[in-house]
């Protein structure tokens, strides 16, 4: 009864206050849906993906990107690192009437375009056009090598191997490194080093294979065979690589404000100076070995030994960089490379040359392999990685373009020449060449030190 009365009482009170309660309920009902309009606009924002999520940092698909990147670097930087064997062949056989400086322009323009094209191809990658540029790059490389195989004059070799192959390399290199960096975080420096070691592997196997084939089947078929190998490996790499970031259709080709960032700006100018110096020892190692009396067969293998050491130099420093910090490792690599180049001046015997060339290749390998991972760490957004990597390599390409020709001009000026204008082996003076190279590496190390100082705000003991 009490419960019934209570219920009745409750009903009576509700009825008695029905006007107030009704108004209250109506107000409550009017207010209760009010969050709904607020929720509705938020709903799409919550469902809209901000991106593909954090990098997987491993897994089959991620490691296949490393394999694909390795194959593309093998056929881009590996090809450029092999130019020393072409330099020697052109100087003594095909283009014997041309000066060493003129012949080195072929390799320099090839390396220059490899990096210069990165500013366009990096932006194209961010916009979602990876397969377009990969197909274009593969075609240009293979076509250029086939044209090189039938070239007889300087301008023909320059157009085919320098321009055509160089543009093809540029289409393939920057996207391959940029894609890999989006799949890893804690292992980023290591996997970038693994992919970058393709340049050393190419620099080891291509010269040996080419030289053997020069002696057996001749220059033309040797280069054509090389082109067919490139076609197969580039095709496999293109099938393996899968861009991970969503396309960023709109955006500038060059992010101009990035050049005003103290850390990024000083780093890319330091990188440019490193590129001015880097290829000089590789281009002239074989000629230097012959100059100090090394027999022809062993002199040829100096370049392969250097590239083998560079392969380790692209792996070990990068593995350490994941633990100690990328900038903390690249700085000693720059200064030690400079010391090795200065020591090269005193090399007058084959054993000392081999030791110094190994030291230089090891530390300069770290200097060349770490920049992509550093650029990623200096980028505020993963969506800008392709563009920023391309910008850095575009600036670096200016250094590659002028480095070896300047070194060749110094060598020409300080060395005796025969009646045909060629170098007199045994009387060439490389002192100015190596002083020039070593000073540039020191300046590069100083600028990268400034990058580190700016990034950590003067702190000394810190992983960066």
């Amino acid at each position: 009864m009490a419960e019934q009365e209570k219920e009745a009482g409750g009903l009576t009170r509700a009825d008695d206050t029905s006007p107030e309660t009704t108004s209250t309920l109506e107000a409550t009902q009017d207010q209760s849906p009010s969050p709904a309009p607020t929720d509705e606009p938020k709903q799409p924002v919550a469902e809209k993906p901000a991106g593909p999520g954090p990098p997987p940092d491993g897994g089959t698909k991620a490691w296949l990107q490393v394999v694909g990147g390795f194959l593309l670097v093998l056929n881009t930087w590996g090809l450029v690192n092999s130019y020393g064997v072409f330099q020697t062949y052109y100087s003594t056989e095909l283009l014997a009437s041309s000066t060493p400086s003129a012949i080195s322009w072929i390799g320099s323009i090839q390396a220059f375009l490899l990096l210069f094209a990165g500013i366009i191809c990096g932006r194209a990658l961010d916009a979602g056009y990876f397969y377009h540029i990969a197909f274009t790059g593969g075609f240009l490389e293979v076509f250029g090598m086939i044209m090189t195989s039938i070239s007889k004059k300087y301008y023909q070799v320059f157009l085919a191997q320098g321009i055509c192959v160089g543009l093809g390399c540029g289409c393939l290199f920057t996207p391959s490194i940029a894609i890999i960096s989006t799949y890893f975080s804690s292992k980023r420096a290591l996997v970038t080093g693994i992919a970058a070691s393709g340049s050393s592997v190419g620099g080891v196997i291509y010269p040996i294979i080419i030289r053997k084939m020069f002696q057996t089947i001749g220059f033309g078929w040797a280069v054509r065979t090389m082109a067919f190998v490139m076609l197969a490996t580039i095709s496999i790499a293109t099938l393996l690589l899968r861009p991970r970031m969503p396309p960023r259709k709109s955006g500038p080709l060059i992010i101009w404000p990035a050049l005003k960032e103290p850390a990024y700006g000083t780093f890319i100018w330091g990188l440019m100076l490193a590129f001015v110096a880097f290829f000089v020892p590789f281009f002239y190692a074989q000629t230097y070995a012959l100059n100090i009396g090394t027999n022809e067969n062993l002199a040829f293998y100096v370049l392969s030994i250097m590239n083998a050491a560079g392969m380790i130099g692209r792996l070990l420093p990068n593995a350490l960089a994941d633990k100690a910090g990328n900038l903390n490792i690249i700085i000693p690599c720059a200064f030690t490379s400079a010391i090795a180049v200065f020591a090269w001046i005193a090399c007058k015997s084959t054993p000392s040359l081999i030791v110094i060339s190994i030291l230089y290749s090891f530390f300069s390998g770290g200097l060349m392999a770490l920049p992509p991972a550093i650029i990623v760490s200096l980028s505020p957004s993963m969506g800008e990685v392709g563009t920023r990597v391309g910008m850095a390599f575009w600036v670096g390409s200016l250094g590659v373009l002028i480095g070896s020709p300047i070194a060749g001009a110094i060598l020409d000026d300080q060395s005796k020449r025969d009646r045909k204008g060629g170098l007199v082996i045994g009387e060439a003076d490389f002192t100015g060449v190596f002083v020039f190279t070593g000073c540039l590496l020191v300046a590069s190390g100083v600028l990268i030190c400034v990058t580190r100082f700016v990034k950590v705000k003067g702190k000394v003991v810190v992983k960066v």
Side-chain angles (χ1 to χ4, degrees), residues 85-86 89 210-219 222-223:
V85 69
F86 288 97
Y89 179 80
I210 292 169
R211 184 170 182 266
K212 292 292 183 184
M213 289 192 295
F214 280 176
Q215 298 170 348
T216 55
I217 60 177
F219 174 79
V223 177

Side-chain angles (χ1 to χ4, degrees), residues 295-372:
N295 70 70
E296 186 176 350
N297 286 329
L298 184 55
F300 165 77
Y301 284 105
V302 168
L303 182 61
S304 295
I305 291 170
M306 290 178 68
N307 281 304
M311 178 175 62
I312 301 172
R314 284 165 170 79
L315 294 174
L316 184 57
N318 283 55
L320 293 174
D322 283 327
K323 304 294 182 183
N326 297 317
L327 287 169
N328 290 341
I329 298 299
I330 197 173
I331 290 171
C333 284
F335 287 119
T336 310
S337 297
I339 294 171
V341 169
F342 287 129
W344 210 313
I345 300 171
C347 290
K348 303 301 179 184
S349 66
T350 301
S352 62
L353 170 63
I354 292 174
V355 171
I356 292 300
S357 63
I358 288 174
L359 286 174
Y360 172 76
S361 301
F362 176 84
F363 288 102
S364 66
L367 179 61
M368 290 293 106
L370 283 166

Side-chain angles (χ1 to χ4, degrees), residues 56-75:
D57 212 32
T60 302
K61 185 177 180 180
W63 284 106
L64 285 176
Q65 310 310 303
V66 181
V67 175
F70 174 89
L71 291 175
L72 289 188
V73 176
L74 175 77
N75 288 294

Side-chain angles (χ1 to χ4, degrees), residues 43-61:
Q43 196 72 13
V45 176
E47 292 178 356
K48 182 180 179 180
D57 212 32
T60 302
K61 185 177 180 180

Side-chain angles (χ1 to χ4, degrees), residues 73-157:
V73 176
L74 175 77
N75 288 294
T76 52
W77 276 119
L79 190 61
V80 173
N81 284 349
S82 304
Y83 185 73
V85 69
F86 288 97
Q87 172 94 16
T88 302
Y89 179 80
Y90 293 155
S91 298
T92 57
E93 300 288 341
L94 187 65
L95 305 174
S97 60
S98 300
T99 66
S101 180
I103 294 173
S104 69
W105 269 106
I106 300 171
S108 293
I109 198 70
Q110 186 182 32
F112 163 74
L113 290 174
L114 186 156
L115 295 173
F116 183 81
I119 195 168
I120 299 173
C121 297
R123 182 65 191 91
L125 172 66
D126 287 344
Y129 295 108
F130 167 69
Y131 294 105
H132 299 76
I133 54 180
F135 175 81
T136 303
F139 171 78
L140 288 173
E141 272 209 52
V142 175
F143 178 75
M145 291 303 291
I146 292 175
M147 291 297 101
T148 301
S149 72
I150 61 176
S151 298
K152 301 297 182 183
K153 298 182 179 180
Y154 178 84
Y155 80 90
Q156 295 171 335
V157 177

